[in-house]
Amino acid sequence: MRKLLNTLYVTSPDTYLALEGQNVMVYREEELLLRIPLHTLEQILYFGYKGASPALMGACAEHGIRLAFLTPHGRFLAAACGRSQGNVLLRLQQVRASDDPMVRTRFARNFIFGKVFNSRWVLERATRDHAMQVDVAALKNVSRQLGGQLPTIRECISDEQLRGLEGVSAEQYFRVFDQLILQNKKAFYFHGRNRRPPMDNVNALLSFVYTLLCNDCCSALEAVGLDPYIGFLHRERPGRTSLALDLMEELRSVFADRFVLSLINNRIVTEKGFYQQETGAVRMNDETRKAILAGWQARKQEFIRHPFLQEKVPWGLVPYVQAMLLGRCLRGDLEEYPPFLWK
C-alpha cells in the first residue's frame, strides 16, 4: 500500500519557492520561512503568484511530487508535470475506453452510482445522528428519491441520460443540504449551489474544498500511471483534469461535503473569516484558509475501512485506492470498476 505523505500548503501569496539540495525552501523576499525535505512530500499546493524556481519544478517532476499553482482564493491555475508515469499500454487502454461510447458510459455510470449512493447515506447518517435538529421527514424523502434512481443509473447506456440523472440527483441532494448545517445558520446558509464566483460562505467553502479534493485525485491518478486529463463522464477540454473530476464525483458528498459541514458545525470557521467583494463574490481570509488546510490534512490521516478492499486505510489514500482499482479495471484485472460506497 502506498505511504500517505505530507502535502505542503503555501498560502502566503508573497512567498517564493526554491530548491536547495534536496529541500524545498520557502522565502519571503530574502527571509527563509521554511525548509522541508523533498522526500517527505507527496504534493505541494502553492496559493500565490510569485511562483517557484525551475530547479524546484524539475526536482518535483523527477520525484513524482505534484506541484500545483492556485490563486490565493483557491482557483487552479497550472501544475508542473514531469515525464509521463506508468505503463504506456495502460494509457492506451484509457484512451480507447474514453473513445468507446459503451465502455465510456460503463465507467461513468459507476462514478455517478457511487456519488448518488454516498449522497443518500450522508442524509441517512444525519437523520440518525441529529434527529432532533433536522427535518427527518424531508431528508428521508430525498433519500428515498435518490435510492430509487440507483437502479436506473446502474443500467444507463448513454452519456446524455446519465448526465440528466446526475443533474436531478444533485438538485435533490442540494435541496436539503441546508438542513445539515446545524450551527450559526444566519451566517452559514445554503440556498443552492453557485460558483465562479461563490456568492455565500457555504459555497465559498465547498468550492475551496472541492479544489483540494480534485488536486488529491490528480495526484492519485498520476501516481498509478493514468492521465488525469482523459475522462469518461467529463469530456476532454484543454486544461481540464477530466478524469480527476470523474474520480472525485463519488467522494464529493462523503469526503468533501461532510468535511465542510464539520468545519461549520464544530465552529472551526466563523463568519469573521469571510468577506464580500464589490462583485458579490465571497472570499476567505488567510487565517480561515489556513484553518481549513490544517483540518483537511488532519482528516486525511483518519482511518476508514475501505468497502471493497475491506482494509483500514487513511481517508487521504482513498483517491489513490480508487485510482488503483480503476487502473486494474482498464487492464482487465477487474471485470468492473468498484465505486467507493460509504455508509
Side-chain angles (χ1 to χ4, degrees):
M1 179 61 70
R2 180 184 175 88
K3 184 179 179 181
L4 181 61
L5 299 177
N6 293 317
T7 297
L8 174 62
Y9 301 99
V10 183
T11 59
S12 299
D14 57 345
T15 54
Y16 180 76
L17 308 184
L19 180 72
E20 183 178 296
Q22 291 298 306
N23 299 292
V24 180
M25 316 291 283
V26 182
Y27 290 97
R28 179 183 289 123
E29 295 182 353
E30 300 299 321
E31 179 188 3
L32 176 63
L33 301 180
L34 179 69
R35 177 200 303 264
I36 186 168
L38 269 176
H39 69 83
T40 66
L41 297 174
E42 185 172 41
Q43 60 177 334
I44 302 171
L45 269 60
Y46 174 78
F47 297 82
Y49 294 113
K50 286 197 172 181
S53 70
L56 176 61
M57 289 189 279
C60 287
E62 181 182 351
H63 290 83
I65 299 169
R66 178 177 172 81
L67 172 56
F69 299 91
L70 304 94
T71 70
H73 303 302
R75 182 171 62 84
F76 176 79
L77 294 173
C81 301
R83 298 183 183 91
S84 296
Q85 301 179 36
N87 190 334
V88 65
L89 298 179
L90 174 60
R91 294 200 177 209
L92 285 173
Q93 286 298 106
Q94 179 185 354
V95 172
R96 290 171 183 145
S98 179
D99 284 341
D100 187 317
M102 294 296 293
V103 177
R104 181 173 70 228
T105 301
R106 181 161 57 88
F107 281 101
R109 72 190 182 194
N110 283 6
F111 294 131
I112 298 306
F113 184 94
K115 177 179 182 176
V116 176
F117 182 96
N118 290 333
S119 297
R120 181 190 179 207
W121 281 101
V122 167
L123 302 182
E124 288 288 341
R125 182 70 70 91
T127 64
R128 188 195 72 182
D129 294 345
H130 307 288
M132 302 299 292
Q133 297 172 276
V134 300
D135 186 341
V136 173
L139 295 185
K140 286 285 188 181
N141 181 51
V142 172
S143 175
R144 283 192 295 270
Q145 293 175 18
L146 294 176
Q149 291 174 9
L150 291 174
T152 307
I153 293 171
R154 192 70 185 85
E155 301 299 325
C156 187
I157 59 172
S158 75
D159 292 349
E160 293 75 15
Q161 182 189 12
L162 185 59
R163 291 191 180 95
L165 291 167
E166 188 275 334
V168 169
S169 66
E171 188 277 330
Q172 292 169 336
Y173 168 73
F174 280 127
R175 192 170 67 230
V176 294
F177 189 76
D178 190 65
Q179 285 280 327
L180 309 182
I181 301 171
L182 308 178
Q183 300 288 341
N184 200 359
K185 296 293 287 275
K186 184 177 180 180
F188 295 98
Y189 53 83
F190 185 84
H191 297 158
R193 185 78 177 104
N194 56 70
R195 52 184 180 167
R196 300 193 189 109
M199 306 300 286
D200 58 68
N201 296 347
V202 176
N203 274 290
L205 285 168
L206 288 172
S207 292
F208 188 71
V209 173
Y210 287 166
T211 298
L212 299 179
L213 179 58
C214 186
N215 273 288
D216 287 346
C217 289
C218 276
S219 180
L221 291 165
E222 290 171 345
V224 302
L226 290 167
D227 190 331
Y229 290 88
I230 302 174
F232 301 113
L233 176 67
H234 295 82
R235 303 306 295 143
E236 292 77 23
R237 183 184 300 171
R240 181 167 77 173
T241 52
S242 298
L243 189 59
L245 294 174
D246 286 353
L247 189 65
M248 69 182 283
E249 288 293 351
E250 63 201 79
L251 301 176
R252 282 182 188 267
S253 60
V254 68
F255 198 174
D257 294 356
R258 289 180 69 243
F259 174 68
V260 166
L261 291 168
S262 71
L263 293 173
I264 299 170
N265 294 336
N266 294 330
R267 297 185 181 274
I268 296 171
V269 296
T270 68
E271 64 271 24
K272 295 180 181 179
F274 299 81
Y275 62 94
Q276 191 171 43
Q277 297 179 318
E278 291 182 0
T279 60
V282 172
R283 304 299 189 188
M284 296 175 286
N285 61 27
D286 287 344
E287 291 74 18
T288 297
R289 278 196 296 272
K290 289 176 182 177
I292 294 169
L293 293 171
W296 182 251
Q297 193 67 16
R299 178 63 59 92
K300 287 164 64 174
Q301 304 290 333
E302 296 177 3
F303 278 79
I304 184 174
R305 181 171 293 278
H306 192 279
F308 182 78
L309 298 182
Q310 288 300 302
E311 296 179 12
K312 282 191 174 183
V313 298
W315 267 111
L317 283 186
V318 170
Y320 172 79
V321 172
Q322 294 306 120
M324 180 183 64
L325 293 172
L326 178 59
R328 288 182 182 177
C329 185
L330 284 167
R331 284 193 295 264
D333 299 333
L334 290 174
E335 185 175 344
E336 191 168 12
Y337 169 73
F340 180 82
L341 304 178
W342 175 85
K343 280 191 178 181

